[in-house]
Amino acid sequence: MGFYHVSRIGVIRGFYSLLAALVERWRPKTHTFVLPVGEVTVTLEDVAHIFGLPIDGEPMSGWINNSSDFLQSQSIAIFGRKPEVSSSSKSYIKLGSVRRIRDAEPLDTESIRRKVRYSIFYLLGSTLFTDKSTAYAHAKYLPLLRDFERIHTYSWESACLAHLYRALCRASRWSYSERTTAWLLKTAARFRQDIDYIEEFEWRPFDRLIISDELHGHLEVCDIVALLLSFECVEWHPADRVMRQFGYAQPPPRVARDIPLDHHCITLRGVQLHDMTVLHGVWIAKWGNKQNTRLRETAPPSELGLYTDNGVLGLVCGLVRTYAEIVRARSLVSISATSTTATCTSRSTSACSV
C-alpha cells in the first residue's frame, strides 16, 4: 500500500451547502453526526477505502519545532534545498514551490527519491492534511519522509482521520468558538430539511466492493475503539457508537470518552518546541493496544441494526429524535437571532439618517 492511489484522486471539490448542514450535526464530544436514524461518523474503514493507505502502523508523532534552523536542516536533508515558506508562518511550506521543484528534478536514482518525497509532501498538504487554503503544508511532516524505507510503516489513515475530526470539532457550533454571521446565513435550508427527515441510511456502502489483498489486513483493525494520533491531534475513533456501520447491533451508547483539554486543544501558535512522542506517550501506548479494542471481540453481528428489545429500541429511537430536534431548534434560533439583529441594525441606521 502506498501513495499512488492518493495521487490519482485529483482535486476534491466540496459542496459547501451540504457540508455546512452536516457540520451543524457534528458533536465534538462523541465525534459523530447526530441524525434521525442515529449517530454516524467517518470511520477508519471509510478512509481506507477512499485513500488506500495503511491503518495498522506506527502513530504519526515526533518533534514540532517552528525554528528556521529546523526547517532548513530538514528541508536540505530531504529535498536537497530549502523551499519557499509562508510569509506569516515560517513553519508552513508553500506547496506551489514544492510542485515546481519536483517537476524540475532530473531522473537519476537519488533525484527520483527526492521527487517521490516531494510528491508525498505535496499530497500531505493538498489532500490528506489540508486546511482551508490548500496552499501550505506544515514542516512537522518532514522528518517522517527522511528515512525512505520507513515511509510506508506509519499509520497515515488514522492520522488523516484524526486531522478530519479536529477540523470538524473546530468548525462545529457545539465547539467553543462562535460562528460568524456570514457562515450562518450561507447554510442551505433544504439540506437541513433533507437531513431532518432522513429515514433510510446505507450503513455498509463497501460490502459489495472487490477489495485488494493489500487492503484486507488493514481493514482487520478498522473497527477499533482507539485513540487516533497525528502530532498535536489526539482524537477518539468512536466505533462503539456507530456499530451498525461495521455490521453489528447497536446498543444504547455509553458516556462519551474524554481527553484532557490540555492535550485535546493544542494549537500550533507562537513558539513551538515539543516532542509529541513524550507529551503524548500515554496515548501512543494506547494505540499500541488497539488490537484488543476491536468490536468483533464483543459485538454480535446483526442484520437488524439495533438490539431487538422493544423497550430499549423505543428509548434509543426517542432519544435520538429528541436530540436531532434540539440541534435543529438551536440552528433555527441562531439564524433567527442573526436576522433580527441585522434588521434592528438596519432600522437604527435608517432612523439616524432621518
Side-chain angles (χ1 to χ4, degrees):
M1 297 176 72
F3 285 87
Y4 175 75
H5 180 66
V6 182
S7 70
R8 304 292 295 173
I9 292 176
V11 178
I12 301 176
R13 299 190 184 280
F15 193 1
Y16 181 85
S17 298
L18 176 58
L19 291 175
L22 280 172
V23 168
E24 289 181 354
R25 297 302 190 111
W26 181 258
R27 191 176 179 222
K29 273 195 172 183
T30 59
H31 290 156
T32 56
F33 298 100
V34 180
L35 304 181
V37 295
E39 290 181 276
V40 301
T41 196
V42 183
T43 68
L44 284 171
E45 183 180 24
D46 298 323
V47 182
H49 281 291
I50 294 169
F51 289 136
L53 289 172
I55 297 174
D56 193 9
E58 297 179 50
M60 279 180 51
S61 192
W63 278 96
I64 296 180
N65 185 338
N66 64 351
S67 69
S68 57
D69 290 342
F70 176 84
L71 176 65
Q72 183 167 339
S73 62
Q74 292 294 328
S75 298
I76 292 174
I78 296 165
F79 301 141
R81 68 184 78 184
K82 181 182 176 182
E84 296 176 35
V85 298
S86 166
S87 58
S88 58
S89 176
K90 304 303 180 184
S91 296
Y92 288 88
I93 297 173
K94 290 185 178 180
L95 293 178
S97 72
V98 171
R99 186 175 61 247
R100 287 192 297 273
I101 297 172
R102 178 199 64 189
D103 294 343
E105 284 285 341
L107 295 178
D108 57 84
T109 303
E110 186 53 37
S111 295
I112 287 177
R113 287 199 168 196
R114 282 201 300 269
K115 203 179 187 78
V116 170
R117 290 191 181 101
Y118 274 122
S119 297
I120 293 175
F121 188 78
Y122 183 82
L123 290 173
L124 297 184
S126 64
T127 306
L128 296 179
F129 307 109
T130 187
D131 58 17
K132 290 183 292 185
S133 73
T134 67
Y136 303 94
H138 200 282
K140 64 186 178 184
Y141 303 117
L142 291 177
L144 302 179
L145 307 180
R146 191 160 186 165
D147 186 343
F148 198 81
E149 305 303 325
R150 289 189 62 192
I151 293 175
H152 72 283
T153 66
Y154 296 105
S155 178
W156 295 101
E157 294 286 14
S158 65
C160 177
L161 190 54
H163 182 84
L164 175 63
Y165 284 170
R166 176 63 58 88
L168 283 167
C169 289
R170 288 178 175 172
S172 171
R173 290 183 187 184
W174 292 85
S175 68
Y176 301 105
S177 59
E178 295 293 330
R179 295 290 94 197
T180 63
T181 301
W183 190 92
L184 294 172
L185 294 177
K186 284 182 181 177
T187 304
R190 65 187 184 91
F191 282 117
R192 281 205 202 93
Q193 186 172 13
D194 289 343
I195 293 173
D196 284 343
Y197 294 100
I198 189 171
E199 294 182 355
E200 296 182 2
F201 190 84
E202 182 61 60
W203 296 102
R204 301 289 298 152
F206 305 113
D207 268 356
R208 298 177 184 85
L209 293 183
I210 298 173
I211 301 171
S212 67
D213 293 337
E214 289 181 328
L215 193 59
H216 268 293
H218 292 278
L219 291 176
E220 287 294 308
V221 293
C222 69
D223 62 340
I224 55 176
V225 184
L227 280 158
L228 311 176
L229 296 111
S230 176
F231 288 92
E232 78 282 5
C233 296
V234 183
E235 306 288 345
W236 277 106
H237 183 239
D240 58 337
R241 302 186 71 92
V242 293
M243 292 168 65
R244 284 177 287 179
Q245 289 184 244
F246 297 98
Y248 303 118
Q250 178 67 59
R254 300 177 180 177
V255 176
R257 292 171 174 81
D258 197 17
I259 300 172
L261 286 179
D262 59 339
H263 282 197
H264 187 248
C265 295
I266 296 176
T267 57
L268 301 184
R269 295 174 182 170
V271 177
Q272 299 290 326
L273 183 59
H274 305 294
D275 184 355
M276 304 310 294
T277 59
V278 175
L279 188 61
H280 289 162
V282 174
W283 312 123
I284 291 173
K286 287 182 180 292
W287 172 256
N289 190 46
K290 62 184 177 298
Q291 296 280 358
N292 298 323
T293 68
R294 293 180 297 180
L295 293 180
R296 71 197 67 187
E297 303 298 333
T298 56
S302 171
E303 295 183 0
L304 298 175
L306 290 169
Y307 280 109
T308 55
D309 181 293
N310 289 332
V312 173
L313 180 58
L315 176 62
V316 171
C317 291
L319 288 174
V320 167
R321 290 194 174 276
T322 300
Y323 187 77
E325 288 170 3
I326 292 173
V327 174
R328 169 69 169 160
R330 284 190 58 160
S331 301
L332 292 174
V333 168
S334 297
I335 292 174
S336 176
T338 302
S339 301
T340 302
T341 301
T343 302
C344 292
T345 302
S346 177
R347 288 176 178 173
S348 299
T349 303
S350 300
C352 289
S353 299
V354 175

